[in-house]
Amino acid sequence: MLLARILKYLNGTLFLDDGYRFCVFFIKNYVGFYKLTLSQVSEQSGISEEAILEFLTHLGFYRFDDFQTRLYQDVILRMDQIRARMIGIDLQELVDRVHLENDGILDMIKGICHDIHQSKRVILVGALYPMSISVELQTDLITFGKEVIQYHSYDNELTFEEGDYVIFISATGRAMENFLYQKQHLSLDNPQSLLITQNQTYEKRMITKKTLRVPGKFDSINFNYQIMTIFDLIRVIYYQTYQQI
């Protein structure tokens, strides 16, 4: 799938260059990207046609039209795959599997889905492994038409804006606090924000606008299973609420 390959590049590259900028533009415009011409992409993204075509050669495409044809096929195929996967999913079974149950956990996740739906862009912030786990969620939400990116420290062009939904994933909360200390120019005043953590401290000392605390005492292995399940719940509930016809 083209989306998976572009996300692999976007989430893994270490350089703020035209390839990175093209991928960001692609994610932002994914659903209707196949309708754009090369000149339109160049004009709207500010990237030269030569740079776009050079990047596409790394994906095995030497003509822009070939890339667009493959993308159109992928968009249809991906939605069919998502529909097939969502059939017969038991939400409570997912919750019970990793002992996530607390008062109103599913209602909280429905609220997160609402916030995602209302946002213009979702920005995921966390360590390498949680970000790796989040890729399936990222892929599905992009397929649904939502711009979802992972934060990269070298991207000095990125700012948190009104309409953004910033999601921090940190078992202890230290990663979030270190991030905000080092990136003081990135204010959480304007965007919506969420922390997913095991640290009950942040239920009282609110740094983000919302906190989803899961059971545990900073057990990274268990936390990884928990966030994987939370991401699955978000994918399923979001699809059932906002995508399913």
Side-chain angles (χ1 to χ4, degrees):
M1 299 286 289
L2 283 178
L3 178 56
R5 294 168 66 188
I6 285 180
L7 281 179
K8 186 175 182 179
Y9 178 89
L10 178 62
N11 293 340
T13 186
L14 299 174
F15 305 102
L16 180 61
D17 55 14
D18 283 341
Y20 176 89
R21 293 185 181 95
F22 172 80
C23 290
V24 170
F25 180 83
F26 176 85
I27 296 305
K28 183 176 182 178
N29 299 277
Y30 174 74
V31 172
F33 191 94
Y34 68 89
K35 301 176 184 178
L36 299 175
T37 64
L38 177 58
S39 61
Q40 287 174 325
V41 173
S42 177
E43 180 180 356
Q44 294 177 29
S45 67
I47 306 169
S48 70
E49 294 185 13
E50 292 75 18
I52 293 170
L53 291 172
E54 180 181 357
F55 177 78
L56 293 183
T57 62
H58 298 303
L59 300 176
F61 297 94
Y62 298 91
R63 295 176 65 252
F64 188 76
D65 288 348
D66 291 340
F67 176 79
Q68 293 293 65
T69 299
R70 174 65 182 276
L71 175 61
Y72 177 73
Q73 296 169 346
D74 279 2
V75 169
I76 295 174
L77 177 60
R78 180 68 185 181
M79 281 304 301
D80 287 343
Q81 289 175 336
I82 291 173
R83 290 190 193 99
R85 286 204 308 266
M86 297 298 175
I87 295 174
I89 291 182
D90 186 333
L91 297 178
Q92 191 59 49
E93 181 181 340
L94 291 176
V95 171
D96 295 341
R97 187 180 302 168
V98 289
H99 310 293
L100 274 177
E101 190 61 71
N102 61 32
D103 293 337
I105 182 71
L106 289 178
D107 287 337
M108 292 178 68
I109 294 178
K110 289 176 183 177
I112 293 170
C113 291
H114 174 268
D115 291 342
I116 290 173
H117 184 65
Q118 294 297 315
S119 70
K120 295 180 180 178
R121 177 176 63 172
V122 177
I123 303 172
L124 302 170
V125 185
L128 177 62
Y129 197 73
M131 290 299 94
S132 300
I133 294 173
S134 74
V135 170
E136 193 74 1
L137 170 66
Q138 185 183 14
T139 304
D140 277 7
L141 289 177
I142 291 169
T143 303
F144 300 151
K146 186 64 59 178
E147 180 183 359
V148 185
I149 60 173
Q150 297 181 5
Y151 178 82
H152 297 290
S153 59
Y154 58 81
D155 185 351
N156 54 23
E157 298 176 353
L158 178 67
T159 58
F160 292 165
E161 302 171 357
E162 187 174 353
D164 285 341
Y165 189 36
V166 184
I167 302 178
F168 294 94
I169 302 97
S170 176
T172 65
R174 287 195 301 268
M176 176 190 66
E177 299 235 32
N178 289 337
F179 174 89
L180 293 174
Y181 176 77
Q182 295 173 10
K183 309 292 181 182
Q184 295 185 24
H185 63 289
L186 294 175
S187 172
L188 292 180
D189 292 340
N190 292 324
Q192 293 296 317
S193 55
L194 168 72
L195 168 64
I196 302 175
T197 185
Q198 288 183 337
N199 193 338
Q200 61 183 348
T201 301
Y202 294 101
E203 292 181 304
K204 298 179 180 179
R205 189 169 69 88
M206 299 284 287
I207 294 178
T208 51
K209 291 184 172 66
K210 291 184 180 179
T211 298
L212 173 58
R213 188 182 72 83
V214 295
K217 297 182 179 179
F218 316 145
D219 179 348
S220 61
I221 295 177
N222 188 44
F223 185 65
N224 289 334
Y225 283 108
Q226 289 171 328
I227 59 175
M228 183 184 299
T229 301
I230 288 169
F231 291 156
D232 284 343
L233 288 167
I234 292 173
R235 292 193 301 125
V236 174
I237 292 173
Y238 192 96
Y239 174 80
Q240 293 177 346
T241 307
Y242 299 107
Q243 293 295 133
Q244 194 170 27
I245 300 175

